[in-house]
Each structure stands twice: as structure tokens, then as C-alpha cells.
Amino acid sequence: MKEIIEGFLRFQKNAFPERVKLFKSLANQQSPRALFISCSDSRLVPELVTQREPGDLFVIRNAGNIVPSYGPEPGGVSASVEYAVAALQVNDIVICGHSDCGAMTAVATCKCLDHMPAVSSWLRYADSARVVNEARQHPDQSAKVAAMVRENVIAQLANIQTHPSVRLALEEGRITLHGWIYDIESGRIDAFDGRTGAFVSLAENPEVNAVYSQARHVG
């Protein structure tokens, strides 16, 4: 805890004064450009990876970068998604998984989570990804876990489209969905290409999107 407090003191003394105008502009309003949904894993810091300043990203973090399908009793993730899309009018949503994900490792290897019932229940939202991953052949456990991370991102992209605010924004052509996998060791990001169904290098394909849709006019 001492190091955390010392970090705050350095922020207050050095970093804050350098951004005093920015924080003044953010004191009573925010206009983030994107909603970034990532795992709670301490090794993935969305603002660091994307080099964004305060106010640029609206961030949701949880075990396994999960977005439950919309239901009659929306939880915190659903409420945050709705607020980001309907109130803040973000233009992009990124669902970002990462290498060596503990949550996806537990799912892929059928690890017993009886001692963590809340975690076990939460990870049921990755069941569709698990079923797909189990139906495929993998050369080893490492490959199976890596595949599970990818399948989970795809599954959560499908889940988020069940949310009314997201569905409407997609229908009106005012939001874009992105599915990313961040590799901790190399710093590489692979992005899901909705046209090919494959993950490709984001650095080499910066325009790739997870869902390609255009505004549709009915009437």
C-alpha cells in the first residue's frame, strides 16, 4: 500500500500539474470516444496500451472481459454499456481479451471453481465460447487456452449486440464494434475481422472491424 500512496503523491506533485487544463475541462463533463471492455487482469491497462488520456475511454473491466446478454434484470455491465452508448454516445466499442487469461484458462481446462462460486457463476456467460472451443481439436493445452480467449471475444461481441442501445446504434450506423486480443509478452494486438472470421494484426490492419453494418432505412 505504501507504494500506491507514494505513487499518488508523485501524481499530485508532477503528473497532475502537467495536465491541469485537461482535468479542469473534465471537472464537470466527459465525452469519451470509445467504450473499452477488458479483463480485470492487472497486466492489461487499457489507457496504457492505447496511450489515451483521462476522458478518452469509458472502461468496463471484469473477469474474462464478459458482457452478459441483455436480460430482464440487467447488472452493472449492462447498465454501463447502456450509459456509454445511449448517454455518452460513444462511437466505438472494443472488447479486449488477452494472453494467459486466468478466467479463460479455468474455462478451457474445466478447472474446479467450487471454492469460488461467484466466479464460477460469472464464467457461465462464456459457455457458448466453451462449447465451440471444446468441439475443436487443439495440439496442446496452451493452444486450447489461446483459442478459448479468441472464442470468448467472439462470443462477447455476439452478447453485446443483444443490448437494445447497441442494437439501435448499429442499426443507425453510429457505432463500430471491435474485438481485440492483447499479447502481454510482445505487446501485439490481433483484431477480429468480421468479414473473414479471423484474427489479424491490428498494426497491419488498422481499419478492421468486428461487425460490418450500415444504417438501414425502413419505410
Side-chain angles (χ1 to χ4, degrees), residues 34-109:
L35 166 60
F36 199 102
I37 302 170
S38 72
C39 186
S40 299
D41 194 296
S42 62
R43 298 166 294 177
L44 171 55
V45 182
E47 293 85 353
L48 177 63
V49 170
T50 60
Q51 291 292 281
R52 295 293 85 204
E53 289 281 11
D56 286 340
L57 298 178
F58 191 80
V59 179
I60 298 172
R61 301 185 69 174
N62 61 60
N65 44 274
I66 282 170
V67 182
S69 296
Y70 192 81
E73 297 180 4
V77 173
S78 296
S80 296
V81 168
E82 184 173 80
Y83 184 74
V85 176
L88 298 178
Q89 299 279 300
V90 295
N91 300 122
D92 297 273
I93 297 177
V94 179
I95 296 179
C96 185
H98 66 92
S99 61
D100 192 46
C101 179
M104 293 305 106
T105 298
V107 174
T109 60

Side-chain angles (χ1 to χ4, degrees), residues 175-208:
I175 204 165
T176 304
L177 300 185
H178 310 268
W180 292 359
I181 303 293
Y182 170 66
D183 184 74
I184 295 170
E185 184 174 6
S186 68
R188 173 190 173 104
I189 288 179
D190 287 335
F192 182 68
D193 185 342
R195 288 200 172 115
T196 65
F199 281 87
V200 297
S201 166
L202 181 62
E204 297 173 6
N205 302 272
E207 303 301 321
V208 70

Side-chain angles (χ1 to χ4, degrees), residues 6-25:
E6 288 175 346
F8 161 68
L9 295 176
R10 288 195 300 273
F11 163 78
Q12 191 176 53
K13 180 180 179 180
N14 302 317
F16 185 87
E18 293 175 358
R19 295 171 172 80
V20 66
K21 290 184 179 180
L22 171 62
F23 287 115
K24 185 176 180 62
S25 71

Side-chain angles (χ1 to χ4, degrees), residues 147-177:
M148 183 64 207
V149 170
R150 294 192 296 271
E151 290 300 333
N152 183 56
V153 167
I154 295 170
Q156 304 315 318
L157 284 166
N159 285 352
I160 202 169
Q161 291 178 71
T162 67
H163 290 241
S165 59
V166 176
R167 184 73 181 92
L168 177 61
L170 285 169
E171 186 73 9
E172 295 177 345
R174 55 183 172 84
I175 204 165
T176 304
L177 300 185

